Amino acid sequence: MEQEFEFQEIYKQFAIDGDFVDCVRYGEGHINDTFKLTVNDGGKEVRYILQRINNRLFTEVDKLMRNIELVTAFCRKSVEKRGGDPMRECLNVVPTKEGGSYYFDGANYFRVYVFIENATTYQIVRDPRDFYESAVAFGNFANLLADFDASQLYEVLPNFHNTKVRFENFMKAVKADAFGRKAEVQKEIDWVIAHKNLCGEIVDKIATGKIPLRVTHNDTKLNNVMLDDATGKGLAVIDLDTVMPGSLCYDFGDSIRFGCNPAAEDEPDLSKVNFRFDLYETYLKGYLSAVGESITEEERKMLPVGAVLMTYECGMRFLTDYLEGDVYFRTHRPKQNLDRAHTQFKLVDDMLSVMDRMSEAVTRY
Ligand code: ADP
Ligand code: GN1
Ligand code: MG
């Protein structure tokens, strides 16, 4: 049963003009509770995004929102500089009536964003052009963040893409077997362990300075970029909760993980799940055209590894959550996290079988 919130009371806390019309669940994010809020302002319907921040995960909401204010302010300036529309091309936090960036009702934390109209987020690539445009948008975002002072940002989720730490957490979940699900997924556990060697591929290069740590988005799936309905171009990169130190290879890799699969992330029928190499090339081309000069040779070389690694890590995280009783990623049905893990493992197998071609493609663009 979905939790109900007193939306009429909550919206009043924010600097929003107009009368409450409704507030309904929106989008397909796995972490926050997202709602579309509609108000009537003098006969005109105006929409907002209202989110309950997942404070089980983001325990320091103050610092999280400070990060978001810094990043959105930075983004706004750059959009203004190039003559763009900062109300559509960036996320805009709507303040509370007291001037804060979020509202705490004693139990839950809420924030409001200006609704970006006439733009869409996609769950699956329908048209390669959309995927290309998403690559350009994320590449531009990376390029933009290259000038952002990392020391300003608080690391909200430390070790977010530290795959070695993720593996340790996975093994803890296996050992604890808190929900008695281990026996059922022994084959999957063995698969994860058999691929353990992947874990250090990028983390170790960051540790030795071979790959630079940068300010990155860290959650670059297709449904975290809005495409303009009129032009089809990437309009705004959203979901800025995880903007933190990371690697370009992670951001590139996470987009590939999500977008190069023609089926849903939780598709139970694995015959529908496969790694579409043509879409990989499409994304690679768009990303490299936009990411700018700052990408190093080593980062370029490691882009395909980033794709395998993000997919492996995400599958491991889904399986961890399944073992821990589905407490992290939102689920709508039993075994959804297990289905999600399966799709990721299938994609890793597919990618590993074409690694040479993936690397060769990098040298072409
Ligand atoms: P989560 O962290 O749970 O993934 P998101 O911030 O990505 O939450 O929001 C979930 C979905 O809500 C997005 O995929 C997008 O479709 C929609 N959304 C988020 N922010 C906006 C916005 N400012 N304007 C329009 N739609 C938005
Ligand atoms: C979560 O919030 P959302 O749905 O964009 C998760 C990502 C995973 C993704 C898998 C903060 O992203 O790390 O890759 O699900 N976000 C967080 O779809 O853990
Ligand atoms: Mg999201």
Side-chain angles (χ1 to χ4, degrees):
M1 187 60 194
E2 224 172 65
Q3 195 177 350
E4 291 293 328
F5 302 104
E6 295 297 329
F7 292 123
Q8 303 219 31
E9 286 308 309
I10 296 160
Y11 109 97
K12 278 189 205 148
Q13 309 300 322
F14 290 87
I16 294 175
D17 293 327
D19 302 322
F20 182 88
V21 176
D22 65 11
C23 192
V24 293
R25 200 168 266 278
Y26 193 72
E28 296 191 29
H30 297 337
I31 301 297
N32 296 303
D33 289 296
T34 302
F35 304 91
K36 184 181 70 185
L37 164 71
T38 307
V39 300
N40 185 318
D41 186 16
K44 189 172 166 252
E45 295 220 322
V46 183
R47 310 202 280 179
Y48 295 89
I49 286 288
L50 185 144
Q51 282 182 326
R52 186 184 78 96
I53 300 168
N54 180 333
N55 66 313
R56 209 184 67 85
L57 176 59
F58 300 112
T59 50
E60 299 191 85
V61 174
D62 220 47
K63 291 174 175 154
L64 169 78
M65 291 310 293
R66 172 92 191 119
N67 278 1
I68 289 180
E69 286 186 312
L70 287 168
V71 175
T72 52
F74 183 80
C75 171
R76 196 153 46 242
K77 255 194 230 144
S78 109
V79 170
E80 277 163 2
K81 218 161 48 189
R82 65 164 191 257
D85 177 355
M87 293 313 277
R88 291 190 80 226
E89 295 171 40
C90 300
L91 276 182
N92 285 277
V93 178
V94 176
T96 64
K97 283 182 175 150
E98 288 172 354
S101 58
Y102 64 89
Y103 165 64
F104 180 56
D105 72 357
N108 298 294
Y109 293 83
F110 296 93
R111 69 179 165 210
V112 173
Y113 288 124
V114 170
F115 195 97
I116 301 173
E117 296 286 355
N118 305 313
T120 305
T121 52
Y122 296 97
Q123 306 304 326
I124 290 182
V125 175
R126 313 156 314 164
D127 181 337
R129 265 175 309 179
D130 291 342
F131 200 39
Y132 181 86
E133 295 302 341
S134 80
V136 172
F138 280 126
N140 281 332
F141 193 73
N143 201 2
L144 176 72
L145 287 182
D147 295 326
F148 189 88
D149 174 10
S151 69
Q152 290 179 282
L153 284 185
Y154 177 73
E155 197 173 1
V156 270
L157 301 172
N159 289 319
F160 191 61
H161 285 311
N162 185 327
T163 319
K164 284 180 158 176
V165 172
R166 294 283 186 191
F167 185 84
E168 283 166 24
N169 293 341
F170 167 72
M171 290 309 289
K172 278 185 205 152
V174 170
K175 199 161 166 226
D177 190 22
F179 282 73
R181 295 176 173 178
K182 181 180 154 188
E184 176 203 351
V185 295
Q186 193 56 53
K187 200 171 74 222
E188 289 82 353
I189 294 169
D190 293 343
W191 186 95
V192 172
I193 295 172
H195 290 77
K196 183 186 173 194
N197 64 317
L198 290 172
C199 294
E201 292 258 27
I202 290 182
V203 177
D204 291 347
K205 290 204 167 168
I206 291 175
T208 56
K210 288 196 178 118
I211 289 184
L213 206 55
R214 302 167 176 271
V215 179
T216 48
H217 183 279
N218 293 303
D219 191 3
T220 49
K221 54 182 185 178
L222 184 65
N223 63 14
N224 285 333
V225 60
M226 305 212 62
L227 302 186
D228 192 314
D229 291 341
T231 65
K233 300 267 181 213
L235 185 65
V237 169
I238 60 168
D239 203 345
L240 304 174
D241 292 330
T242 51
V243 175
M244 286 183 297
S247 163
L248 266 194
C249 305
Y250 297 152
D251 274 7
F252 174 82
D254 203 41
S255 298
I256 298 301
R257 170 190 82 73
F258 191 83
C260 294
N261 170 17
E265 194 183 51
D266 61 353
E267 173 59 57
D269 178 357
L270 284 185
S271 71
K272 295 184 180 155
V273 175
N274 58 74
F275 176 60
R276 270 190 60 184
F277 191 83
D278 62 318
L279 288 181
Y280 164 77
E281 285 185 301
T282 299
Y283 194 91
L284 183 63
K285 208 160 132 190
Y287 194 76
L288 288 178
S289 77
V291 75
E293 303 282 293
S294 72
I295 184 168
T296 68
E297 260 321 294
E298 190 62 22
E299 283 175 319
R300 279 177 74 97
K301 202 179 106 199
M302 294 300 281
L303 291 176
V305 174
V308 177
L309 196 62
M310 284 300 94
T311 314
Y312 171 73
E313 181 188 280
C314 197
M316 181 161 69
R317 291 172 63 194
F318 289 142
L319 188 55
T320 304
D321 198 29
Y322 184 69
L323 288 163
E324 291 180 341
D326 307 310
V327 288
Y328 187 96
F329 298 102
R330 179 177 305 107
T331 54
H332 310 281
R333 56 177 168 84
K335 302 208 192 229
Q336 192 172 6
N337 271 320
L338 184 56
D339 286 336
R340 288 173 178 152
H342 287 151
T343 63
Q344 304 304 296
F345 299 158
K346 168 71 167 57
L347 290 168
V348 171
D349 282 335
D350 282 6
M351 287 182 205
L352 288 176
S353 71
V354 291
M355 269 313 258
D356 291 353
R357 286 174 64 208
M358 286 172 78
S359 295
E360 187 272 328
V362 175
T363 64
R364 253 186 293 131
Y365 299 113

